[in-house]
Amino acid sequence: MTTQELLKTVKAAAPALAEATTAQKNQALLAMAAALEANCDEILTANRRDVAAAQGHIAPVMIDRLALSRQRVLDMAEGVRQVAALPDPVGRVRRQVVRPNGMTIDQVGVAMGVVAIIYESRPNVTSDAAALALKAGSACVLRGGKEAFASSKAIVSAMQAGLETAGLPAELIGLVEDTTRNSATELMQAVGLVDLLIPRGGAGLIRAVTENAKVPCIQTGTGICHVYVDKAADLSMALRIVENAKTSRPSVCNAEEVLLVHEAVAAEFLPRLQKRLVDDRAADGKVPVELRLCPRAAEIIPGESAGELDFDTEFLDYILAVKVVDSLDEAIAHIAQHSTGHSEAIVTADEQAAARFTRLVDSAAVYVNCSTRFTDGGEFGLGCEMGISTQKLHARGPMGLEELCTYKYVIHGNGQVR
Amino acid sequence: MTTQELLKTVKAAAPALAEATTAQKNQALLAMAAALEANCDEILTANRRDVAAAQGHIAPVMIDRLALSRQRVLDMAEGVRQVAALPDPVGRVRRQVVRPNGMTIDQVGVAMGVVAIIYESRPNVTSDAAALALKAGSACVLRGGKEAFASSKAIVSAMQAGLETAGLPAELIGLVEDTTRNSATELMQAVGLVDLLIPRGGAGLIRAVTENAKVPCIQTGTGICHVYVDKAADLSMALRIVENAKTSRPSVCNAEEVLLVHEAVAAEFLPRLQKRLVDDRAADGKVPVELRLCPRAAEIIPGESAGELDFDTEFLDYILAVKVVDSLDEAIAHIAQHSTGHSEAIVTADEQAAARFTRLVDSAAVYVNCSTRFTDGGEFGLGCEMGISTQKLHARGPMGLEELCTYKYVIHGNGQVR
């Protein structure tokens, strides 16, 4: 099926979901989870084919993301069940006003219609995205990476079987067969067929979307996150936060990439940082962090000199760019110039400094005395997420079920005219 | 100044507003209102120049929209004062969660940054848009129609003087000097300089935005609005609603363009409609409504035959397309195919029919037993509006101050790591 044909098929199926009750949607999700488990062998066989074909062509870390195990498939099914347990955002009255003329105006959560997702090689995104879209009342079009195509197809087939068991059309979930750039561009330009496009990927994909998209989009995921250690910081707390933000999971978008340190505490803090992130980690058999230092930091501790691009790079690795700043305002200005608008933190005991930082830093999540790693749907209490929005329109930060929906106004009267 | 230079100047000024308090913003708005009054003569002189140049080039109704009087200038100033009196959306905590680990997560309303507005020849939009953007914490770039340029320039000069009186930079309001299509395209593509673009205009502008925009946009204003008279309608109420929706102000986007009538009541309702909208209005010296009838309606009452495009046209005039349908579901399907997603109404005493209509009609505002003319920021209790969004992303329906803002998450902890 061509991408256009697929889009039309999915769009034609979407109204069936608009009529489905919460119970029907949940029943379908449980059937999808059961079908993933029942088809575990087929999914693993397809995945082994993908992994074999990818060996030698992509980095080992990517192979690891691609490879499934029986446990990973069971986890995918469990993830779908968790979505079934979340409250239904569709039909929820978000706001109600009774007007002086007696009209009642309800702002009601409603489905987008058709949600398209462009993603890379993690097969679990296929089931996560489909489950979230379905619960949010939307049909979905999935366009995964070519390395994972056989796996995605097996996963989608299982979920489609689950949908049919529950009496809903299989066409509510569509998998794009063309995994070249052409299909991504087609999705970006499918005006009237795609109500919301969520690109999940690197800076290249995001740039392509900005250039080419004609459908509504939410850009997700690029995170050059900063931690600023203020002159009034508790330095032991700062050390703990920086270590966590940098090393607990360096490959994710909410990991710290840049450390800013106030010059008043740099001479004390940086040697402790160097000991904790480099020496202690090496002694413990952990990967030491590579520090890339501005000239002033390099006068205090050993490390690489930071190059021109080091303050504008999402390393996604055990690398940290370090810069000494003269003031809170210099830190804020640096962030304004170099951040991707994802997550930034200040460590300080000075409430005024914290208030100024949170007011002037224009990012999706701004932290005081905690790690940037908390920018996550689960950690925010949303129960799930479809990605982290780094744009300002519609949704910012973790996108939960509510953010996958839109709303409409429903107005009841008894003959009012204007 | 070129458009690029203007955009950079406005963007550089925007952070001054992020630091301004509610009191400072309100003081600036009051100073802007006073400056509009103080410069009334200059504004009227400029406006007379615009009107003289436009005579003979644009329709009389457009001249009427363009022309200012002393009273209209005073009304503009009063409009700015009303914006000052509205609650400040910036800094409002929209949602707060305390997590089990002790972190407090606030979702806080924040400014967009730079808002650009493309509009046509009504000079009052210049002051309305600037006042709303400012109150929402954003600098603004205004690109009005060429017919109104001298007027807009005089209005902006007055408002800039007001800003400076209040200690804020004049550059928070920028007027684009180039009134050709080039500047509109430049605004649509000013990635990094425009945080939100609001095009206010006809179908041509909206199409151009869909094709060319690379910055976040909110499409406003095209309304092919439907009223459906159900078989269970109170026909006197239906008549009152249809008359109001069609004739109270035909030139606006929330006016009715299409009437759908259930076949079970058509024989009774249509003759009463014809009497009320055509004969009675003519007898009263009012403009009679031109009815454009589907074949079944034409068997019941006299009128023009509806042409192919009459069910897809925003007439903005005393014209109403009329179609007889077999069922509620046919009405819903007709709306799905022909509506612009603005406002639709059902007139019925049947609660189940009303519930089905409000659930399945996918428009910004869906009415039961009242006129579509209520889709308006003031009528919805928002106190103001920057237009009616007909898209699903970010905002739907009337855009008040809250919808001109975005949000960020501000998280307070005491050393939490993940």
Side-chain angles (χ1 to χ4, degrees):
Chain A
M1 206 186 303
T2 69
T3 305
Q4 281 299 310
E5 287 163 358
L6 180 75
L7 285 167
K8 285 180 187 161
T9 308
V10 173
K11 187 178 167 72
L17 257 190
E19 293 203 53
T21 62
T22 303
Q24 283 174 303
K25 289 192 292 188
N26 290 343
Q27 199 192 338
L29 287 164
L30 297 179
M32 284 160 61
L36 286 171
E37 289 169 350
N39 291 277
C40 185
D41 289 338
E42 288 79 358
I43 293 169
L44 290 176
T45 304
N47 185 250
R48 274 192 293 273
R49 220 162 52 235
D50 279 337
V51 170
Q55 290 288 6
H57 300 291
I58 60 177
V61 57
M62 299 297 282
I63 295 281
D64 179 60
R65 285 187 182 193
L66 173 57
L68 289 176
S69 62
R70 189 163 299 271
Q71 187 56 48
R72 281 193 178 179
V73 175
L74 297 181
D75 289 348
M76 286 163 55
E78 185 49 33
V80 174
R81 287 199 182 92
Q82 283 171 9
V83 173
L86 292 172
D88 192 342
V90 176
R92 190 170 83 75
V93 176
R94 301 179 177 193
R95 222 155 61 189
Q96 182 173 76
V97 188
V98 181
R99 298 293 300 161
N101 68 0
M103 286 189 329
T104 304
I105 304 181
D106 290 347
Q107 191 192 64
V108 186
V110 299
M112 280 283 177
V114 175
V115 176
I117 303 111
I118 300 177
Y119 56 103
E120 295 174 334
S121 59
R122 276 188 296 176
N124 65 305
V125 175
T126 303
S127 58
D128 284 357
L132 289 169
L134 190 90
K135 182 80 184 216
S138 285
C140 67
V141 175
L142 305 169
R143 196 283 199 182
K146 69 171 187 298
E147 296 81 8
F149 184 72
S151 314
S152 300
K153 194 162 180 182
I155 293 164
V156 166
S157 294
M159 291 192 297
Q160 288 177 326
L163 279 173
E164 290 188 320
T165 307
L168 286 174
E171 293 77 14
L172 288 173
I173 305 175
L175 178 69
V176 177
E177 290 175 15
D178 171 9
T179 56
T180 68
R181 279 197 191 173
N182 291 344
S183 68
T185 308
E186 273 185 274
L187 292 182
M188 293 175 201
Q189 307 198 336
V191 175
L193 295 172
V194 169
D195 293 294
L196 175 63
L197 173 65
I198 303 176
R200 297 179 61 158
L205 177 61
I206 302 299
R207 262 196 307 276
V209 166
T210 305
E211 279 304 307
N212 301 319
K214 300 195 194 312
V215 303
C217 292
I218 290 191
Q219 300 177 2
T220 66
T222 314
I224 299 182
C225 303
H226 297 73
V227 176
Y228 165 61
V229 178
D230 188 45
K231 66 177 172 191
D234 171 335
L235 296 187
S236 297
M237 183 196 288
L239 212 52
R240 207 160 61 237
I241 288 172
V242 171
E243 181 183 33
N244 179 264
K246 179 68 262 179
T247 68
S248 60
R249 206 170 163 203
S251 66
V252 293
C253 60
N254 58 22
E256 178 190 9
E257 305 292 12
V258 180
L259 170 68
L260 304 171
V261 182
H262 193 286
E263 55 102 10
V265 294
E268 184 184 348
F269 183 70
L270 290 179
R272 291 177 66 181
L273 178 85
Q274 207 262 336
K275 176 172 186 299
R276 179 89 156 242
L277 293 196
V278 186
D279 303 344
D280 289 359
R281 288 181 63 86
D284 289 354
K286 295 177 183 164
V287 185
V289 174
E290 179 183 327
L291 302 177
R292 301 205 179 161
L293 308 172
C294 78
R296 290 168 76 184
E299 287 172 14
I300 303 171
I301 52 169
E304 298 279 311
S305 283
E308 214 177 320
L309 296 174
D310 282 328
F311 292 100
D312 295 290
T313 300
E314 192 184 17
F315 299 116
L316 300 174
D317 203 344
Y318 291 94
I319 301 172
L320 182 66
V322 180
K323 185 181 168 73
V324 175
V325 295
D326 285 332
S327 63
L328 170 65
D329 280 3
E330 190 187 339
I332 292 170
H334 179 94
I335 291 169
Q337 205 180 337
H338 299 276
S339 167
T340 53
H342 193 297
S343 301
E344 334 288 345
I346 183 174
V347 186
T348 188
D350 175 350
E351 282 183 23
Q352 290 203 329
R356 188 165 175 81
F357 188 87
T358 57
R359 192 149 57 92
L360 295 184
V361 170
D362 189 20
S363 294
V366 187
Y367 291 87
V368 179
N369 295 331
C370 36
S371 170
T372 56
R373 289 276 291 108
F374 287 107
T375 307
D376 171 277
E379 296 293 333
F380 272 31
L382 306 180
C384 65
E385 71 171 45
M386 182 74 108
I388 310 290
S389 164
T390 53
Q391 71 180 40
K392 294 185 188 174
L393 208 66
H394 188 75
R396 220 173 177 196
M399 287 190 62
L401 284 173
E402 190 114 331
E403 290 76 20
L404 281 173
C405 290
T406 180
Y407 59 82
K408 67 182 171 194
Y409 289 99
V410 175
I411 304 99
H412 284 87
N414 49 12
Q416 285 84 349
V417 296
R418 186 177 169 194
Chain B
M1 206 184 304
T2 69
T3 306
Q4 282 299 311
E5 288 163 357
L6 179 76
L7 285 167
K8 285 180 187 160
T9 308
V10 173
K11 186 177 169 72
L17 257 191
E19 294 203 53
T21 62
T22 302
Q24 283 173 305
K25 289 192 293 188
N26 290 343
Q27 198 192 339
L29 287 164
L30 298 179
M32 284 159 61
L36 285 171
E37 289 169 349
N39 290 277
C40 186
D41 289 339
E42 288 80 356
I43 293 168
L44 290 176
T45 304
N47 185 251
R48 275 193 293 273
R49 218 158 58 232
D50 279 336
V51 170
Q55 290 288 5
H57 300 290
I58 60 177
V61 59
M62 298 298 281
I63 295 281
D64 179 58
R65 286 187 182 193
L66 174 58
L68 288 175
S69 61
R70 188 163 300 274
Q71 187 55 47
R72 281 194 177 179
V73 175
L74 297 181
D75 289 347
M76 285 164 55
E78 185 50 32
V80 174
R81 286 198 183 93
Q82 283 171 9
V83 173
L86 291 172
D88 192 341
V90 175
R92 190 170 83 74
V93 177
R94 299 178 178 195
R95 221 155 62 187
Q96 182 174 77
V97 187
V98 182
R99 296 295 299 160
N101 68 359
M103 288 189 329
T104 304
I105 304 180
D106 289 348
Q107 191 193 64
V108 186
V110 299
M112 280 283 177
V114 175
V115 176
I117 303 111
I118 301 177
Y119 56 103
E120 294 174 330
S121 59
R122 275 188 297 176
N124 65 307
V125 175
T126 304
S127 59
D128 283 357
L132 290 169
L134 191 89
K135 182 81 185 216
S138 285
C140 67
V141 174
L142 305 169
R143 196 282 201 181
K146 70 172 189 296
E147 297 80 8
F149 184 73
S151 314
S152 300
K153 192 163 182 181
I155 292 164
V156 166
S157 295
M159 290 192 296
Q160 288 177 326
L163 279 173
E164 289 188 319
T165 309
L168 286 175
E171 292 77 14
L172 288 172
I173 305 175
L175 180 68
V176 176
E177 289 175 16
D178 171 10
T179 56
T180 68
R181 279 197 191 171
N182 292 344
S183 68
T185 308
E186 273 185 274
L187 292 182
M188 293 174 202
Q189 307 198 336
V191 175
L193 295 171
V194 168
D195 294 293
L196 175 63
L197 173 65
I198 303 176
R200 297 180 60 158
L205 177 61
I206 301 300
R207 262 196 308 276
V209 166
T210 304
E211 279 303 308
N212 301 318
K214 302 195 193 309
V215 302
C217 292
I218 291 192
Q219 300 176 1
T220 66
T222 315
I224 300 183
C225 302
H226 296 74
V227 176
Y228 164 61
V229 178
D230 187 46
K231 66 178 171 188
D234 171 336
L235 295 187
S236 297
M237 183 197 286
L239 213 53
R240 208 161 60 237
I241 287 173
V242 171
E243 180 181 35
N244 179 264
K246 179 69 258 179
T247 68
S248 61
R249 207 170 160 203
S251 66
V252 293
C253 59
N254 58 21
E256 177 190 9
E257 305 292 11
V258 180
L259 171 67
L260 304 172
V261 183
H262 193 285
E263 55 102 10
V265 293
E268 184 184 349
F269 183 70
L270 290 178
R272 290 176 66 182
L273 177 86
Q274 206 262 338
K275 177 174 185 298
R276 179 89 155 242
L277 293 196
V278 186
D279 302 346
D280 288 359
R281 288 182 62 87
D284 289 353
K286 295 177 184 163
V287 185
V289 175
E290 180 184 328
L291 302 177
R292 301 204 179 162
L293 307 172
C294 77
R296 291 168 76 183
E299 287 172 13
I300 303 171
I301 53 169
E304 298 279 312
S305 285
E308 213 178 321
L309 295 174
D310 283 328
F311 292 100
D312 295 289
T313 300
E314 192 183 17
F315 300 115
L316 299 173
D317 203 347
Y318 291 93
I319 302 172
L320 182 65
V322 179
K323 183 179 170 72
V324 175
V325 294
D326 285 332
S327 63
L328 170 64
D329 280 3
E330 189 187 339
I332 292 169
H334 179 95
I335 291 169
Q337 203 181 338
H338 299 276
S339 168
T340 54
H342 192 298
S343 302
E344 333 290 344
I346 183 174
V347 186
T348 188
D350 175 350
E351 283 183 23
Q352 290 203 327
R356 187 165 175 81
F357 188 86
T358 57
R359 191 150 57 92
L360 295 184
V361 170
D362 190 20
S363 294
V366 187
Y367 293 87
V368 178
N369 295 331
C370 37
S371 170
T372 56
R373 289 275 293 108
F374 287 107
T375 307
D376 171 276
E379 295 293 332
F380 271 32
L382 306 179
C384 65
E385 72 170 46
M386 182 75 108
I388 310 290
S389 164
T390 52
Q391 72 181 40
K392 292 186 189 172
L393 209 66
H394 187 76
R396 219 174 178 194
M399 289 191 59
L401 284 173
E402 190 114 331
E403 288 77 21
L404 281 173
C405 290
T406 180
Y407 59 82
K408 67 182 171 196
Y409 288 99
V410 175
I411 304 100
H412 284 86
N414 49 11
Q416 284 85 348
V417 295
R418 187 179 170 193

